[in-house]
Amino acid sequence: LAEIIDDFIADCPVMPMNEVVYFQQNTPNGSFRFGSSSNGYAYQFPPYGPSNDPARQLTESWQTLTVGARLSITWAEAFMRGVRSTAIPDDTLVRWVRSMIEQTRYLTNVAGSNNWLAVETSGIHTIGILFPEFLHTPLWRMEAVNRAQLELNRQVFADGVQKEYSPLYHGTTLNNFAGIRDNELGNRGSFPDESSDRLEKMYEYYLYAADPQRRYIPLNDSDTFSVKNLLADGFSRFPSRTDFQFIATD
């Protein structure tokens, strides 16, 4: 398992959390190896620059989409699970934090568009929430909320459909902006009502796009999945929408 995690970190470090949890719980010696790998990886970070900087496409690991997912999901969660572990040296933790801060700076300078931008923005917001003690993180948190508000107006039509016309990309945009809303409201922040309304309409799209088996149609770059979990999430966020609850339950 240590070799698997090394490969994830070296090649495209968006690591499934079940592997992180298993690794942490069952291989304490491996945790040190994981930390050592993170050290080496942190030093490979390319310089950030303008939006046409070729550094952002040097490898799949440093595509802005991947960086955003790394910060908002796996690295942030793995760090919080391992920060008190005696198997991870303090200097590794410091380098880990430094790398996450540098990656966030990268995302604030090199932006994608559409569903990529949603993932990038979620990464920026996550680091802004997790590390409020740093000088720029409150500004990053504010920037992420402002981006979410702007992009929900840019990317999502009035009927709730995301502009790329792909249920998969629609879900990526929805889940990342809804996550920003959750984290912001859960940390004594605020989220624009207009943007919340737009998120609700995005869930409503799945309500009407589903077939009788409660699966959505695989349009464009997409696949077919059940909408039940998506609408269960929608009901948890918008409890007045009992129609979401109806489709989400048997």
Side-chain angles (χ1 to χ4, degrees):
L1 185 59
E3 291 180 0
I4 292 173
I5 292 183
D6 273 352
D7 289 341
F8 267 107
I9 292 176
D11 297 331
C12 187
V14 179
M15 194 185 325
M17 279 313 303
N18 62 331
E19 293 185 7
V20 173
V21 174
Y22 177 89
F23 184 66
Q24 183 182 27
Q25 292 176 345
N26 296 283
T27 56
N29 292 331
S31 295
F32 179 81
R33 184 174 181 182
F34 169 63
S36 300
S37 299
S38 299
N39 277 345
Y41 193 76
Y43 288 121
Q44 298 174 23
F45 194 76
Y48 56 83
S51 58
N52 61 352
D53 189 340
R56 68 179 285 228
Q57 301 296 345
L58 283 176
T59 67
E60 183 180 356
S61 297
W62 295 116
Q63 289 179 346
T64 52
L65 175 71
T66 307
V67 177
R70 184 159 60 234
L71 293 176
S72 62
I73 307 172
T74 49
W75 272 36
E77 187 166 351
F79 178 84
M80 297 310 294
R81 289 179 182 273
V83 67
R84 292 182 173 85
S85 171
T86 58
I88 303 179
D90 288 345
D91 64 330
T92 292
L93 294 174
V94 170
R95 291 190 179 99
W96 200 343
V97 173
R98 179 180 177 181
S99 179
M100 288 190 284
I101 295 295
E102 288 297 322
Q103 290 175 68
T104 309
R105 285 201 184 104
Y106 175 63
L107 291 182
T108 61
N109 284 272
V110 184
S113 60
N114 299 327
N115 74 93
W116 278 45
L117 185 54
V119 178
E120 296 159 13
T121 304
S122 181
I124 293 169
H125 189 261
T126 299
I127 301 306
I129 289 284
L130 285 182
F131 302 106
E133 63 271 25
F134 290 104
L135 180 63
H136 292 99
T137 48
L139 297 176
W140 291 342
R141 176 176 169 178
M142 185 184 308
E143 176 183 343
V145 173
N146 291 338
R147 272 196 194 188
Q149 181 180 17
L150 179 64
E151 288 300 316
L152 282 167
N153 286 326
R154 282 179 173 172
Q155 294 190 37
V156 183
F157 300 120
D159 61 0
V161 177
Q162 198 262 356
K163 63 185 286 187
E164 294 174 282
Y165 299 113
S166 160
L168 178 62
Y169 296 170
H170 180 107
T172 298
T173 301
L174 170 58
N175 288 332
N176 280 277
F177 286 146
I180 290 174
R181 177 181 181 269
D182 291 348
N183 290 335
E184 189 64 24
L185 296 179
N187 285 273
R188 301 179 181 179
S190 61
F191 196 81
D193 290 340
E194 177 188 358
S195 299
S196 292
D197 292 343
R198 194 58 61 98
L199 289 171
E200 182 178 348
K201 293 293 289 185
M202 292 185 77
Y203 282 111
E204 188 175 271
Y205 160 75
Y206 285 118
L207 184 74
Y208 292 110
D211 66 16
Q213 284 72 45
R214 293 177 287 185
R215 301 176 70 84
Y216 66 70
I217 307 302
L219 304 172
N220 298 318
D221 185 8
S222 189
D223 200 348
T224 180
F225 297 99
S226 171
V227 302
K228 290 174 63 177
N229 289 339
L230 288 163
L231 290 176
D233 289 342
F235 177 65
S236 70
R237 291 177 170 122
F238 303 101
S240 66
R241 296 300 302 262
T242 54
D243 49 347
F244 294 171
Q245 181 187 35
F246 178 80
I247 297 298
T249 53
D250 293 321

